[in-house]
Amino acid sequence: MLNRRQLLVGAMASVVVPRSGYDVVVVGAGAAGLSAALGVKRADPRASVLLLEAQPFNGGTSIRSGGWLWIPNNADMRAAGLADPKDMALRYMARLSHPEDYDPGKPLLGLSPRRHAQLDAYYEQGSDVLDWFRSTQIMPWEAVRGAGLPLTNDPLHLRGVFAPDYHPELAENVPKRGRSVVPKRFDPTHLTEDLQLGLPNSGSGLGGVNLIAWLTSACLRRGVHLLTGRRVLDLVVTNGRVTGVETAARTFTARRGVVFTSGGFSKNAERLAGEFRGDRALTGGGCAVTSAQGDLVRIAERHGFALESMDRAWFIQNLYEQYKIDPDSRVLPNYLLFQNYWSNGDSMFMVNRRGVRVVNEKTNYHDRTQVHFQPDNRFLLSVFDQHTLARFVGIGGHVTPMVNTFIGPAASLAQLRDQILARFAQDPATSAFGLAPDFTANLAATLERFNGFARSGRDLDFHRGEQPIDVWWHGFCLTFQGIDAGPIRDCVSANTDSNGAPYPNPTMRPLAPPYYAVILSSGLQDTNGGPAIDECGRILDARGRQVPGLYGAGNCVASPAGHGYWGAGGTLGPAVVFGHIAGRHCATSL
């Protein structure tokens, strides 16, 4: 029996694994794997389940996340009377996930039967998984409201408002908001002398930690066995059926099947460079744990399984210089400092090497990052002023407490250009990228145009601040940024002119010298391509046939979300739901 001194899941290895044969083996103990194990137990409480995790701790990359899940037609939406009709939800998902095929006038919206079935399964079973989590107290949850506002004033009137989707402007999006949910705080007093989770920072307020703590607790209470520090190297195949897995030290058999949830390949530099080439070559990195090496992709290639979407990922901008300090976050949680989720600030904009603005800076990070995939945009510069630096510095954005990323102060745009070039010269990639000869002239024109938009309240180029998701992202400054000891209590209310009148668009403010800049690069949370799966999570071979006994979910397989990032929680939602679907199906496959 475990006691409170045995905090490491690694200590569990010698205690809870008395055998090598199980009904189901799940590879990867992040959110997708834990949900898969619970899916097995839901279908057959007597089934024996083994979770194998390559890392010393369970939780995978999920534990580093906000813990949000994007689930359509969830119970909190229904309770609030917020309609989410299936036909329109499928259109919204299909348009973003498979834009090259989407046609609402065609059968199955123009999608292949398999891809349409995936989205249909997600709509139907996503809310069912959440209902089961809540009714069994596996994971109490609630729809996200209010942008995580602290107990202060509410200048953007967000308190109690459901989180918007990432594309509320689309006609296919009926509810516009409410689909993002988050686990409630995990109370470590739930633990006993005989049950310890072995999670770093368990019981903290971080959403990803809460998510993993709830799911891990539910698995262990249901008798799921967990082994950490065990990387799976290959499959055991018997008469054409997957019947187990091989690790360096041991072979584990699986009578009913194997579910892979082992993460993408964002930490495999060679494979990443091979799949993301040319203009889509990444200039930064991501937040995934170091075991995200593409183990399932390698195994799939060895066995001849179908691979798809290998050049796709969940994208996010990096603060390039902060990223380079500790790309794998081995020393400290550097991913919290180098990923630009919300572009904090109002007196700020982003330009390319020509000094031209190229994006709505407040749009979601996945779409914003893909602007980098053009020759002049491989690196972008976020230009801001003293107001944004003083009011908005914090984590999660591009203006962080890490002053090593700042270029400036500069009294003029010409001086800022010189300082940028001096900083570019310190790194081979940025030195080769350089600035265009007309950078300063274009930057001056960009500044004048942006300042005019800020005064009028209308961004005629990129429509910044027009969508609720823009304002929502801007509102995160009230929790994560906004250092101010003066009479104005928050950074949003400080956006006033010299007469004290608020600027008409809260996300924009004219810039004034001195100027600053930070270097931004493309990056990713993790890849989301790999073996193809069907709507049950079954992995397919090169001819599109189901591989008996083999399932996958999460970032190790080709995501059913395709190109789409539907809203906050659009990565973990499909991982948890399809992990659960795969586990339930695997449990009943014999």
Side-chain angles (χ1 to χ4, degrees), residues 65 68-70 314 365 525 554-555 559 565 567-576:
S65 73
W68 294 18
L69 312 175
W70 190 90
W314 311 110
Y365 44 85
Q525 297 171 88
N555 292 338
S559 173
Y565 209 130
T571 58
L572 282 174
V576 167

Side-chain angles (χ1 to χ4, degrees), residues 47-71:
S48 58
V49 184
L50 172 64
L51 269 165
L52 294 173
E53 169 57 46
Q55 291 284 111
F57 291 98
N58 65 304
T61 301
S62 306
I63 205 168
R64 296 180 166 186
S65 73
W68 294 18
L69 312 175
W70 190 90
I71 306 294

Side-chain angles (χ1 to χ4, degrees), residues 275-318:
E275 301 294 348
F276 294 84
R277 301 184 298 273
D279 290 341
R280 289 176 59 83
L282 295 164
T283 47
C287 65
V289 291
T290 55
S291 58
Q293 297 287 330
D295 291 347
L296 180 59
V297 171
R298 172 179 48 78
I299 291 170
E301 289 174 333
R302 181 180 302 150
H303 291 270
F305 303 153
L307 297 176
E308 63 182 19
S309 306
M310 291 294 288
D311 62 345
R312 296 181 191 170
W314 311 110
F315 294 111
I316 188 166
Q317 282 180 311
N318 288 177

Side-chain angles (χ1 to χ4, degrees), residues 78-360:
R78 301 194 300 268
L82 190 57
D84 194 0
K86 179 178 178 178
D87 61 335
M88 297 304 291
L90 291 180
R91 289 186 181 198
Y92 175 71
M93 291 188 285
R95 177 172 176 174
L96 293 175
S97 300
H98 306 292
E100 69 282 2
D101 299 321
Y102 176 67
D103 185 340
K106 289 185 178 179
L108 304 181
L109 306 177
L111 275 57
S112 70
R114 175 171 65 90
R115 287 178 170 170
H116 188 274
Q118 289 175 332
L119 300 183
D120 188 280
Y122 190 64
Y123 179 90
E124 290 290 347
Q125 299 197 47
S127 60
D128 171 75
V129 173
L130 281 188
D131 290 346
W132 186 68
F133 282 174
R134 177 179 276 174
S135 66
T136 57
Q137 287 295 297
I138 283 175
M139 189 187 76
W141 58 270
E142 58 190 351
V144 178
R145 300 174 188 255
L149 290 173
L151 296 176
T152 61
N153 52 337
D154 183 15
L156 296 173
H157 309 292
L158 297 177
R159 195 178 309 284
V161 177
F162 283 131
D165 291 333
Y166 283 177
H167 288 279
E169 77 281 3
L170 297 181
E172 292 89 344
N173 192 341
V174 172
K176 310 294 185 187
R177 60 179 72 242
R179 291 155 163 162
S180 297
V181 308
V182 66
K184 292 188 176 181
R185 185 180 185 275
F186 183 82
D187 185 350
T189 61
H190 293 170
L191 304 180
T192 68
E193 290 290 336
D194 298 327
L195 180 64
Q196 292 292 318
L197 304 186
L199 297 175
N201 304 317
S202 67
S204 81
L206 295 175
V209 173
N210 290 323
L211 173 68
I212 296 302
W214 282 114
L215 298 183
T216 301
S217 174
C219 283
L220 298 184
R221 291 180 190 279
R222 284 162 176 76
V224 174
H225 290 174
L226 175 61
L227 263 178
T228 60
R230 302 296 198 281
R231 170 168 258 118
V232 169
L233 304 177
D234 205 352
L235 304 173
V236 176
V237 181
T238 306
N239 297 324
R241 182 181 182 85
V242 175
T243 56
V245 296
E246 295 179 0
T247 69
R250 195 171 181 180
T251 296
F252 295 94
T253 59
R255 288 179 286 273
R256 305 186 195 183
V258 174
V259 183
F260 268 84
T261 65
S262 50
F265 56 87
S266 59
K267 295 302 181 180
N268 186 326
E270 182 178 359
R271 187 174 291 276
L272 201 66
E275 301 294 348
F276 294 84
R277 301 184 298 273
D279 290 341
R280 289 176 59 83
L282 295 164
T283 47
C287 65
V289 291
T290 55
S291 58
Q293 297 287 330
D295 291 347
L296 180 59
V297 171
R298 172 179 48 78
I299 291 170
E301 289 174 333
R302 181 180 302 150
H303 291 270
F305 303 153
L307 297 176
E308 63 182 19
S309 306
M310 291 294 288
D311 62 345
R312 296 181 191 170
W314 311 110
F315 294 111
I316 188 166
Q317 282 180 311
N318 288 177
L319 278 72
Y320 181 62
E321 293 178 290
Q322 184 65 33
Y323 156 73
K324 291 191 302 176
I325 291 173
D326 184 11
D328 294 327
S329 299
R330 294 179 185 270
V331 179
L332 75 165
N334 193 42
Y335 58 92
L336 293 174
L337 301 173
F338 73 68
Q339 295 190 123
N340 184 31
Y341 283 96
W342 43 86
S343 299
N344 45 332
D346 43 28
S347 50
M348 56 77 58
F349 54 77
M350 294 177 188
V351 297
N352 63 11
R353 67 183 297 271
R354 296 175 50 239
V356 175
R357 188 166 169 243
V358 292
V359 69
N360 171 5

